[in-house]
Every structure is written in C-alpha cells, then in structure tokens.
Amino acid sequence: MNPRRRTFLLGLGALAPAAAWERESAAIYSQRRRALAEAVGGGLIVVLGYDEYEGRSGYSSFRQESHFYYLTGHNEPGAALAIAPESGRRPYREILFVPEADAHASKWLGPRLGIDDAGELGVDEVLSRSAMEPQARMLLKERKRLYGLLPGGPGRDRNAAERLLARLQEVCRRKDVRDIRSRLARLRAVKSTGEIATIQKAVDASIEAHLAAWKVIRPGVTEQQVAGAMVGAALTAGCERMAYPPIVGSGLNSTILHYDRNDATLAAGGVVLMDVGGEYSRYAADITRTVPVSGVFSDRRRKIYDLVLGAQKQAVAAVKPGARLYAHGPSGLTGIVERWFERHGEPGIGSRFTHGLGHHVGLDVHDPRPPEDELQRGMVLTIEPGLYLPDEGFGVRIEDMVVVTDDGCRTMTGRLPKEAEAIEAIMAA
Ligand SMILES: [Mn+2]
C-alpha cells in the first residue's frame, strides 16, 4: 500500500471498508490534468463526474464517468472538475467540486469523501459542488473558450455534464465552446506503468474466468451456466464487476458478434465462443476464446480455427510503435490479416471477417479511439480476428490483449492457451 493511499483511508476514519480498490498516486492524476491544460492552451476546462443515477446500470454499483476518473481518481457520485490553464498573467488553477456532507446520502450509500477528505486526492483546491457554477462563470470572464465533453451524437438525451456546458454557454454568450474528447483520447491511449499493472490484474482474473469455463463445458450444459462459472471466477479473482455482459455463444450463436442472451444449450460437435472480461479497480479486460463443446475440434472447425489463429499470430507479431491498427496497406495490421486469409484460406473466406481487428482498452473496454492510427509504446489494445460461417453453424474469434513495447509488444493474455492442442489438453484433464 502506498503512503498516499494509507492517508486516504485514514481520512475516512473507522468506517472505511477494507476495499482492494487501487488508485494511482496523486502525482499521476495531477500530471494528467497539467497535460490536458497544456494541450488546450487557454480557456476553461469543465469535466463533470456522473451523479448517482448516471453511474448505475442494472445490478452494477456506481461506475464513475471515465474521463473524470482518469483526471481525478475520484470514484463517488456528484463531483466536478474545473481546470483553468495558465493564460497571460492568470496562473494555472484546478478545482475539484464535491457534494456537501448529506446525512441522507451517507445513510443510504455509506460514508462519502467530504471537502476535507477530498484534499487527499491531490487537486489544488477543493470546494463544495454548489460553488461550481459561480466559480466557472468567474473563471470564464477572464477566458475566451470553454472546453468540455460535448454531446456524443445526435438524438441522445443530454447528461448532466452536457446540460451544464449548455447553461454556461448560454450565460456567457460570447464564448466559444469546444469538445475535449479527442485530446483526452490521445492522453488516455498511452497508459502509465500503474495503469498497465492494473490492466494486467483485470486480465489475470479474466483468464481465471476462461479456465473455469473450460472445466464446465460439455454437451447439455447451458450457455448461462458457462457465463455463471465465468462471472463467479472473475469476481472471486478480484474483479469488482464484468467489463461488459458475458458473451457465451454456442453453435450458430457463435456467429452473432455481440450475442449475450446466453440461453441455448451446448450441443456435441459444435464450438462455444466466449468473449468475457472483468474490471479490476475500474480497468477492463477483453478476452475471447473459442473451444470445442465435446473437448475436441471437428476437422472443419479445426481448419477454420487454425486459419484464424494464424492470422491472429501474424497481427500480434506485427504490433510495434509506428504500426497502424486499422490500415489496409503494408504497415496496417488489418491489411496483414486480410492478406493472410487471402493466401491461406479458401476463396472469399476473407469476407467472413466482418468486424474491426481490435481496439484500445483501459478504463473502458472500448477506450476512446485516439485521433492517430499509429501505435505508440504504452498503448494497450486487443487483436481479435474472427471468421463467421452462419451457413455452417459456427464462428471462431480469438482475442488477446497486448501492450506496445519499445520494439514490439507483450501479450498480456499470454498465460491463456490458444493453440487447439493446448485447449483440448486442458479440457481433457
Ligand atoms: Mn474486444
């Protein structure tokens, strides 16, 4: 436990739960806020955390807005952040706004960080949430532009952050309002050492989930029972929740990319595709394996499996700084996979690869795509080619997570076997 975290817990007093939540040092979050300020130059940046309602979905506990968490490490509802970059004679300022102590909220939700405790998070100034609007208006008087998270697309209901931006814009009519998503995406794409270590923990726990599934898979078991074994193993291994609904598709369901009904029964002779990953201290894992229901691949399924595996290995081997994830040309990882299917598969098989080759992973399972396609050291991404043959009743996807190193990459999911023989050996054990 680092000293900062110890103080943080002491600040909460005797009521603090012995949570295993891992947060980076206050200095790291401070660097991120400074880097964002530098990236925008002048203006005022306003980022809102989620409120209690926005942060809940289904049975899941509160889940903070990802950009806000990235900049603060603050994991409770109703907070906000303002960053005023240095501008002329105006010095840099950063303010965290937190809800005032509320007896009703602490009765229902447990103890919350008050203004005094929130100082431990390392933001220069901490004020009450009710001071947010007047402070933002004051800071905007001296600055030309307002930056924030603008609505992601048309037709969506605005969330609290978007409503606040709209209100501030109305109040300060002359202000130019700009989105900071692409700047945040660029910062978030390159992971810190601490983030890579935390993602590895999400990966390790998710590997336990996959290994647990292989122990229960056999004809007659339901997809839901497989999903249950996986969720149980991930949570037992330290995940606080799943990173997305478990996808357990057997037979024809393995050809549905985001199948999550999980209501069919596993039939002999087929395959079952499991795209399942958990979250550890907010960081996601995303892993897919496709295994034979009866423990041994049929000839046709094995042929397609090895074709996908070959493509997947080629792409992983080509990951390095400067390589491009989505490009089709010689430096493009997607191009490498397409050419592999053309050269090694039957005619037209490449058209059965129907989705992107991979994506960035971090605080979100689909981390925001940075504006540039070129990979850099410290980026974490999935490599997940697949082939889907609904006319033959099955699909195969193999998904690993890699972290880009100085001259290549390290496969974070390397401990989970993907060779057909290795999978069959474990299932037979
Ligand atoms: Mn994925």
Side-chain angles (χ1 to χ4, degrees):
M1 184 184 276
N2 70 40
R4 175 63 74 172
R5 179 171 160 77
R6 187 172 293 123
T7 340
F8 175 67
L9 288 177
L10 286 174
L12 285 170
L15 288 171
W21 193 271
E22 288 172 30
R23 192 181 165 271
E24 291 197 77
S25 72
I28 294 278
Y29 296 99
S30 167
Q31 282 166 23
R32 292 174 184 167
R33 294 188 295 271
R34 294 272 182 172
L36 185 65
E38 235 162 75
V40 305
L44 173 69
I45 303 162
V46 175
V47 182
L48 261 68
Y50 278 155
D51 63 25
E52 188 65 32
Y53 174 75
E54 290 169 323
R56 277 187 190 279
S57 70
Y59 67 90
S60 137
S61 55
F62 177 75
R63 188 174 184 279
Q64 184 60 280
E65 200 282 324
S66 299
H67 296 302
F68 183 82
Y69 187 79
Y70 179 76
L71 293 169
T72 62
H74 186 274
N75 197 32
E76 292 178 10
L81 175 71
I83 303 172
E86 188 182 338
S87 161
R89 284 175 296 120
R90 314 280 178 198
Y92 172 86
R93 279 185 74 189
E94 52 177 36
I95 311 169
L96 178 69
F97 299 91
V98 297
E100 269 153 282
D102 172 349
H104 176 77
S106 43
K107 185 176 168 191
W108 283 87
L109 307 164
R112 292 296 156 117
L113 284 183
I115 291 180
D116 297 336
D117 302 315
E120 298 295 340
L121 294 171
V123 183
D124 293 347
E125 299 173 61
V126 182
L127 295 174
S128 156
R129 179 58 208 272
S130 57
M132 167 87 203
E133 254 191 80
Q135 279 288 327
R137 285 189 202 191
M138 197 194 71
L139 287 165
L140 271 173
K141 277 187 190 146
E142 325 165 330
R143 293 158 197 277
K144 284 197 200 72
R145 266 185 220 125
L146 176 60
Y147 290 91
L149 302 172
L150 294 184
R156 274 181 58 244
D157 281 342
R158 285 179 168 184
N159 64 25
E162 292 158 2
R163 287 195 300 272
L164 176 81
L165 275 190
R167 203 158 59 233
L168 287 174
Q169 187 179 21
E170 220 166 89
V171 172
C172 316
R173 235 170 240 297
R174 294 161 294 123
K175 302 298 173 185
D176 173 14
V177 181
R178 299 200 183 172
D179 199 11
I180 46 163
R181 281 173 206 276
S182 65
R183 289 177 176 87
L184 273 165
R186 191 181 280 136
L187 289 176
R188 280 177 57 183
V190 177
K191 269 64 181 175
S192 67
T193 311
E195 286 181 296
I196 292 168
T198 308
I199 294 170
Q200 187 66 58
K201 289 181 181 173
V203 165
D204 289 341
S206 302
I207 287 174
E208 294 308 319
H210 282 262
L211 292 171
W214 300 359
K215 296 282 172 215
V216 303
I217 287 169
R218 60 177 185 278
V221 165
T222 65
E223 293 166 346
Q224 185 170 307
Q225 288 171 323
V226 176
M230 299 185 85
V231 172
L235 267 55
T236 301
C239 291
E240 63 269 9
R241 64 168 78 84
M242 302 315 286
Y244 51 99
I247 296 168
V248 179
S250 64
L252 191 58
N253 298 332
S254 61
T255 67
I256 303 170
L257 301 182
H258 280 174
Y259 174 79
D260 59 8
R261 286 202 312 276
N262 303 340
D263 61 358
T265 299
L266 274 54
V271 294
V272 54
L273 182 155
M274 290 154 285
D275 185 342
V276 176
E279 262 186 28
Y280 187 100
S281 291
R282 249 325 290 273
Y283 282 85
D286 186 4
I287 309 175
T288 307
R289 288 292 185 269
T290 307
V291 308
V293 170
S294 310
V296 179
F297 286 99
S298 70
D299 288 348
R300 176 61 179 161
R301 283 158 180 75
R302 173 67 187 264
K303 191 173 176 225
I304 295 298
Y305 187 89
D306 285 343
L307 188 57
V308 175
L309 182 61
Q312 204 261 359
K313 286 180 178 174
Q314 290 285 314
V316 169
V319 172
K320 61 177 183 187
R324 293 188 297 155
L325 181 54
Y326 299 106
H328 300 272
S331 74
L333 303 180
T334 298
I336 287 171
V337 165
E338 288 166 347
R339 285 191 295 282
W340 176 271
F341 287 144
E342 261 167 45
R343 282 178 200 154
H344 300 271
E346 55 219 58
I349 195 82
S351 68
R352 306 303 192 97
F353 172 36
T354 51
H355 52 77
L357 177 61
H359 52 85
H360 290 256
V361 187
L363 286 169
D364 293 305
V365 63
H366 290 165
D367 241 16
R369 185 170 165 173
E372 297 84 16
D373 194 18
E374 282 79 11
L375 299 178
Q376 292 176 46
R377 179 180 186 272
M379 288 180 167
V380 173
L381 49 143
T382 66
I383 299 291
E384 49 175 313
L387 291 174
Y388 306 93
L389 312 174
D391 41 332
E392 297 184 52
F394 76 100
V396 172
R397 178 162 69 252
I398 303 168
E399 176 177 37
D400 277 321
M401 285 172 64
V402 301
V403 54
V404 183
T405 58
D406 282 327
D407 55 357
C409 72
R410 180 172 66 78
T411 304
M412 303 179 83
T413 41
R415 189 165 61 85
L416 184 64
K418 59 183 173 183
E419 297 290 340
E421 293 88 353
I423 292 171
E424 289 174 351
I426 291 179
M427 294 184 76

PDB file of all heavy atoms in Angstrom, residues 298-316:
ATOM      1  N   SER A 298     -13.888 -30.660 -34.288  1.00  0.00           N
ATOM      2  CA  SER A 298     -14.132 -31.459 -35.503  1.00  0.00           C
ATOM      3  C   SER A 298     -13.164 -30.968 -36.581  1.00  0.00           C
ATOM      4  O   SER A 298     -12.597 -29.883 -36.457  1.00  0.00           O
ATOM      5  CB  SER A 298     -15.578 -31.280 -35.967  1.00  0.00           C
ATOM      6  OG  SER A 298     -15.762 -29.970 -36.470  1.00  0.00           O
ATOM      7  N   ASP A 299     -12.977 -31.744 -37.653  1.00  0.00           N
ATOM      8  CA  ASP A 299     -11.993 -31.387 -38.681  1.00  0.00           C
ATOM      9  C   ASP A 299     -12.250 -30.000 -39.280  1.00  0.00           C
ATOM     10  O   ASP A 299     -11.338 -29.196 -39.417  1.00  0.00           O
ATOM     11  CB  ASP A 299     -11.993 -32.430 -39.812  1.00  0.00           C
ATOM     12  CG  ASP A 299     -11.372 -33.741 -39.337  1.00  0.00           C
ATOM     13  OD1 ASP A 299     -10.767 -33.735 -38.243  1.00  0.00           O
ATOM     14  OD2 ASP A 299     -11.506 -34.750 -40.058  1.00  0.00           O
ATOM     15  N   ARG A 300     -13.510 -29.754 -39.681  1.00  0.00           N
ATOM     16  CA  ARG A 300     -13.830 -28.480 -40.326  1.00  0.00           C
ATOM     17  C   ARG A 300     -13.618 -27.302 -39.362  1.00  0.00           C
ATOM     18  O   ARG A 300     -13.056 -26.280 -39.725  1.00  0.00           O
ATOM     19  CB  ARG A 300     -15.282 -28.520 -40.813  1.00  0.00           C
ATOM     20  CG  ARG A 300     -15.794 -27.231 -41.421  1.00  0.00           C
ATOM     21  CD  ARG A 300     -15.009 -26.828 -42.655  1.00  0.00           C
ATOM     22  NE  ARG A 300     -15.529 -25.599 -43.234  1.00  0.00           N
ATOM     23  CZ  ARG A 300     -14.852 -24.829 -44.076  1.00  0.00           C
ATOM     24  NH1 ARG A 300     -13.612 -25.166 -44.450  1.00  0.00           N
ATOM     25  NH2 ARG A 300     -15.395 -23.741 -44.571  1.00  0.00           N
ATOM     26  N   ARG A 301     -14.055 -27.470 -38.133  1.00  0.00           N
ATOM     27  CA  ARG A 301     -13.909 -26.392 -37.151  1.00  0.00           C
ATOM     28  C   ARG A 301     -12.432 -26.157 -36.841  1.00  0.00           C
ATOM     29  O   ARG A 301     -11.982 -25.020 -36.714  1.00  0.00           O
ATOM     30  CB  ARG A 301     -14.736 -26.700 -35.900  1.00  0.00           C
ATOM     31  CG  ARG A 301     -16.226 -26.443 -36.132  1.00  0.00           C
ATOM     32  CD  ARG A 301     -17.148 -27.188 -35.182  1.00  0.00           C
ATOM     33  NE  ARG A 301     -18.551 -26.900 -35.472  1.00  0.00           N
ATOM     34  CZ  ARG A 301     -19.245 -27.397 -36.510  1.00  0.00           C
ATOM     35  NH1 ARG A 301     -18.650 -28.230 -37.386  1.00  0.00           N
ATOM     36  NH2 ARG A 301     -20.505 -27.082 -36.697  1.00  0.00           N
ATOM     37  N   ARG A 302     -11.680 -27.231 -36.781  1.00  0.00           N
ATOM     38  CA  ARG A 302     -10.239 -27.099 -36.521  1.00  0.00           C
ATOM     39  C   ARG A 302      -9.550 -26.355 -37.665  1.00  0.00           C
ATOM     40  O   ARG A 302      -8.659 -25.538 -37.438  1.00  0.00           O
ATOM     41  CB  ARG A 302      -9.635 -28.496 -36.335  1.00  0.00           C
ATOM     42  CG  ARG A 302      -8.108 -28.535 -36.218  1.00  0.00           C
ATOM     43  CD  ARG A 302      -7.635 -27.873 -34.931  1.00  0.00           C
ATOM     44  NE  ARG A 302      -6.191 -27.771 -34.910  1.00  0.00           N
ATOM     45  CZ  ARG A 302      -5.387 -28.660 -34.316  1.00  0.00           C
ATOM     46  NH1 ARG A 302      -5.903 -29.706 -33.688  1.00  0.00           N
ATOM     47  NH2 ARG A 302      -4.090 -28.508 -34.344  1.00  0.00           N
ATOM     48  N   LYS A 303      -9.978 -26.609 -38.887  1.00  0.00           N
ATOM     49  CA  LYS A 303      -9.360 -25.954 -40.036  1.00  0.00           C
ATOM     50  C   LYS A 303      -9.572 -24.432 -39.962  1.00  0.00           C
ATOM     51  O   LYS A 303      -8.642 -23.647 -40.154  1.00  0.00           O
ATOM     52  CB  LYS A 303      -9.979 -26.512 -41.332  1.00  0.00           C
ATOM     53  CG  LYS A 303      -9.233 -26.082 -42.552  1.00  0.00           C
ATOM     54  CD  LYS A 303      -9.743 -26.777 -43.814  1.00  0.00           C
ATOM     55  CE  LYS A 303      -8.993 -26.187 -45.005  1.00  0.00           C
ATOM     56  NZ  LYS A 303      -9.869 -25.881 -46.119  1.00  0.00           N
ATOM     57  N   ILE A 304     -10.815 -24.051 -39.693  1.00  0.00           N
ATOM     58  CA  ILE A 304     -11.121 -22.610 -39.590  1.00  0.00           C
ATOM     59  C   ILE A 304     -10.436 -22.021 -38.358  1.00  0.00           C
ATOM     60  O   ILE A 304      -9.905 -20.906 -38.393  1.00  0.00           O
ATOM     61  CB  ILE A 304     -12.657 -22.395 -39.541  1.00  0.00           C
ATOM     62  CG1 ILE A 304     -13.295 -22.841 -40.865  1.00  0.00           C
ATOM     63  CG2 ILE A 304     -13.000 -20.948 -39.238  1.00  0.00           C
ATOM     64  CD1 ILE A 304     -12.841 -22.063 -42.097  1.00  0.00           C
ATOM     65  N   TYR A 305     -10.409 -22.795 -37.264  1.00  0.00           N
ATOM     66  CA  TYR A 305      -9.753 -22.314 -36.036  1.00  0.00           C
ATOM     67  C   TYR A 305      -8.290 -21.980 -36.318  1.00  0.00           C
ATOM     68  O   TYR A 305      -7.794 -20.902 -35.967  1.00  0.00           O
ATOM     69  CB  TYR A 305      -9.852 -23.362 -34.914  1.00  0.00           C
ATOM     70  CG  TYR A 305      -9.325 -22.820 -33.599  1.00  0.00           C
ATOM     71  CD1 TYR A 305     -10.172 -22.160 -32.716  1.00  0.00           C
ATOM     72  CD2 TYR A 305      -7.973 -22.926 -33.268  1.00  0.00           C
ATOM     73  CE1 TYR A 305      -9.686 -21.627 -31.535  1.00  0.00           C
ATOM     74  CE2 TYR A 305      -7.480 -22.389 -32.095  1.00  0.00           C
ATOM     75  CZ  TYR A 305      -8.350 -21.744 -31.218  1.00  0.00           C
ATOM     76  OH  TYR A 305      -7.867 -21.200 -30.058  1.00  0.00           O
ATOM     77  N   ASP A 306      -7.592 -22.886 -36.964  1.00  0.00           N
ATOM     78  CA  ASP A 306      -6.166 -22.673 -37.234  1.00  0.00           C
ATOM     79  C   ASP A 306      -5.932 -21.517 -38.203  1.00  0.00           C
ATOM     80  O   ASP A 306      -4.905 -20.827 -38.119  1.00  0.00           O
ATOM     81  CB  ASP A 306      -5.524 -23.958 -37.757  1.00  0.00           C
ATOM     82  CG  ASP A 306      -5.305 -24.976 -36.641  1.00  0.00           C
ATOM     83  OD1 ASP A 306      -5.342 -24.575 -35.457  1.00  0.00           O
ATOM     84  OD2 ASP A 306      -5.125 -26.176 -36.949  1.00  0.00           O
ATOM     85  N   LEU A 307      -6.891 -21.304 -39.106  1.00  0.00           N
ATOM     86  CA  LEU A 307      -6.784 -20.179 -40.043  1.00  0.00           C
ATOM     87  C   LEU A 307      -6.878 -18.845 -39.265  1.00  0.00           C
ATOM     88  O   LEU A 307      -6.087 -17.921 -39.492  1.00  0.00           O
ATOM     89  CB  LEU A 307      -7.909 -20.285 -41.081  1.00  0.00           C
ATOM     90  CG  LEU A 307      -7.892 -19.333 -42.259  1.00  0.00           C
ATOM     91  CD1 LEU A 307      -6.591 -19.453 -43.050  1.00  0.00           C
ATOM     92  CD2 LEU A 307      -9.094 -19.602 -43.175  1.00  0.00           C
ATOM     93  N   VAL A 308      -7.841 -18.771 -38.351  1.00  0.00           N
ATOM     94  CA  VAL A 308      -7.988 -17.556 -37.533  1.00  0.00           C
ATOM     95  C   VAL A 308      -6.771 -17.383 -36.618  1.00  0.00           C
ATOM     96  O   VAL A 308      -6.233 -16.280 -36.479  1.00  0.00           O
ATOM     97  CB  VAL A 308      -9.295 -17.608 -36.694  1.00  0.00           C
ATOM     98  CG1 VAL A 308      -9.380 -16.408 -35.743  1.00  0.00           C
ATOM     99  CG2 VAL A 308     -10.520 -17.643 -37.611  1.00  0.00           C
ATOM    100  N   LEU A 309      -6.315 -18.492 -36.033  1.00  0.00           N
ATOM    101  CA  LEU A 309      -5.162 -18.416 -35.125  1.00  0.00           C
ATOM    102  C   LEU A 309      -3.917 -17.925 -35.871  1.00  0.00           C
ATOM    103  O   LEU A 309      -3.160 -17.091 -35.359  1.00  0.00           O
ATOM    104  CB  LEU A 309      -4.901 -19.787 -34.484  1.00  0.00           C
ATOM    105  CG  LEU A 309      -3.752 -19.836 -33.472  1.00  0.00           C
ATOM    106  CD1 LEU A 309      -4.018 -18.901 -32.288  1.00  0.00           C
ATOM    107  CD2 LEU A 309      -3.538 -21.268 -32.967  1.00  0.00           C
ATOM    108  N   GLY A 310      -3.727 -18.413 -37.087  1.00  0.00           N
ATOM    109  CA  GLY A 310      -2.575 -17.977 -37.887  1.00  0.00           C
ATOM    110  C   GLY A 310      -2.630 -16.475 -38.146  1.00  0.00           C
ATOM    111  O   GLY A 310      -1.628 -15.766 -38.002  1.00  0.00           O
ATOM    112  N   ALA A 311      -3.811 -15.983 -38.507  1.00  0.00           N
ATOM    113  CA  ALA A 311      -3.984 -14.551 -38.766  1.00  0.00           C
ATOM    114  C   ALA A 311      -3.728 -13.747 -37.497  1.00  0.00           C
ATOM    115  O   ALA A 311      -3.054 -12.709 -37.512  1.00  0.00           O
ATOM    116  CB  ALA A 311      -5.408 -14.296 -39.270  1.00  0.00           C
ATOM    117  N   GLN A 312      -4.241 -14.261 -36.390  1.00  0.00           N
ATOM    118  CA  GLN A 312      -4.110 -13.557 -35.110  1.00  0.00           C
ATOM    119  C   GLN A 312      -2.647 -13.449 -34.708  1.00  0.00           C
ATOM    120  O   GLN A 312      -2.174 -12.397 -34.276  1.00  0.00           O
ATOM    121  CB  GLN A 312      -4.947 -14.310 -34.064  1.00  0.00           C
ATOM    122  CG  GLN A 312      -5.391 -13.458 -32.889  1.00  0.00           C
ATOM    123  CD  GLN A 312      -4.493 -13.646 -31.684  1.00  0.00           C
ATOM    124  OE1 GLN A 312      -3.537 -14.420 -31.701  1.00  0.00           O
ATOM    125  NE2 GLN A 312      -4.818 -12.916 -30.616  1.00  0.00           N
ATOM    126  N   LYS A 313      -1.890 -14.540 -34.901  1.00  0.00           N
ATOM    127  CA  LYS A 313      -0.460 -14.516 -34.533  1.00  0.00           C
ATOM    128  C   LYS A 313       0.324 -13.555 -35.416  1.00  0.00           C
ATOM    129  O   LYS A 313       1.238 -12.877 -34.947  1.00  0.00           O
ATOM    130  CB  LYS A 313       0.132 -15.917 -34.666  1.00  0.00           C
ATOM    131  CG  LYS A 313      -0.294 -16.874 -33.572  1.00  0.00           C
ATOM    132  CD  LYS A 313       0.381 -18.193 -33.860  1.00  0.00           C
ATOM    133  CE  LYS A 313       0.092 -19.245 -32.828  1.00  0.00           C
ATOM    134  NZ  LYS A 313       0.678 -20.536 -33.261  1.00  0.00           N
ATOM    135  N   GLN A 314      -0.002 -13.539 -36.731  1.00  0.00           N
ATOM    136  CA  GLN A 314       0.665 -12.614 -37.650  1.00  0.00           C
ATOM    137  C   GLN A 314       0.457 -11.170 -37.200  1.00  0.00           C
ATOM    138  O   GLN A 314       1.387 -10.368 -37.200  1.00  0.00           O
ATOM    139  CB  GLN A 314       0.100 -12.781 -39.069  1.00  0.00           C
ATOM    140  CG  GLN A 314       0.468 -14.078 -39.736  1.00  0.00           C
ATOM    141  CD  GLN A 314       1.917 -14.096 -40.201  1.00  0.00           C
ATOM    142  OE1 GLN A 314       2.376 -13.146 -40.800  1.00  0.00           O
ATOM    143  NE2 GLN A 314       2.623 -15.155 -39.876  1.00  0.00           N
ATOM    144  N   ALA A 315      -0.779 -10.856 -36.836  1.00  0.00           N
ATOM    145  CA  ALA A 315      -1.085  -9.479 -36.431  1.00  0.00           C
ATOM    146  C   ALA A 315      -0.366  -9.136 -35.127  1.00  0.00           C
ATOM    147  O   ALA A 315       0.230  -8.062 -35.006  1.00  0.00           O
ATOM    148  CB  ALA A 315      -2.598  -9.298 -36.281  1.00  0.00           C
ATOM    149  N   VAL A 316      -0.385 -10.042 -34.146  1.00  0.00           N
ATOM    150  CA  VAL A 316       0.288  -9.778 -32.871  1.00  0.00           C
ATOM    151  C   VAL A 316       1.785  -9.569 -33.106  1.00  0.00           C
ATOM    152  O   VAL A 316       2.401  -8.656 -32.540  1.00  0.00           O
ATOM    153  CB  VAL A 316       0.043 -10.926 -31.857  1.00  0.00           C
ATOM    154  CG1 VAL A 316       0.943 -10.786 -30.631  1.00  0.00           C
ATOM    155  CG2 VAL A 316      -1.432 -10.964 -31.431  1.00  0.00           C
TER     156      VAL A 316
END
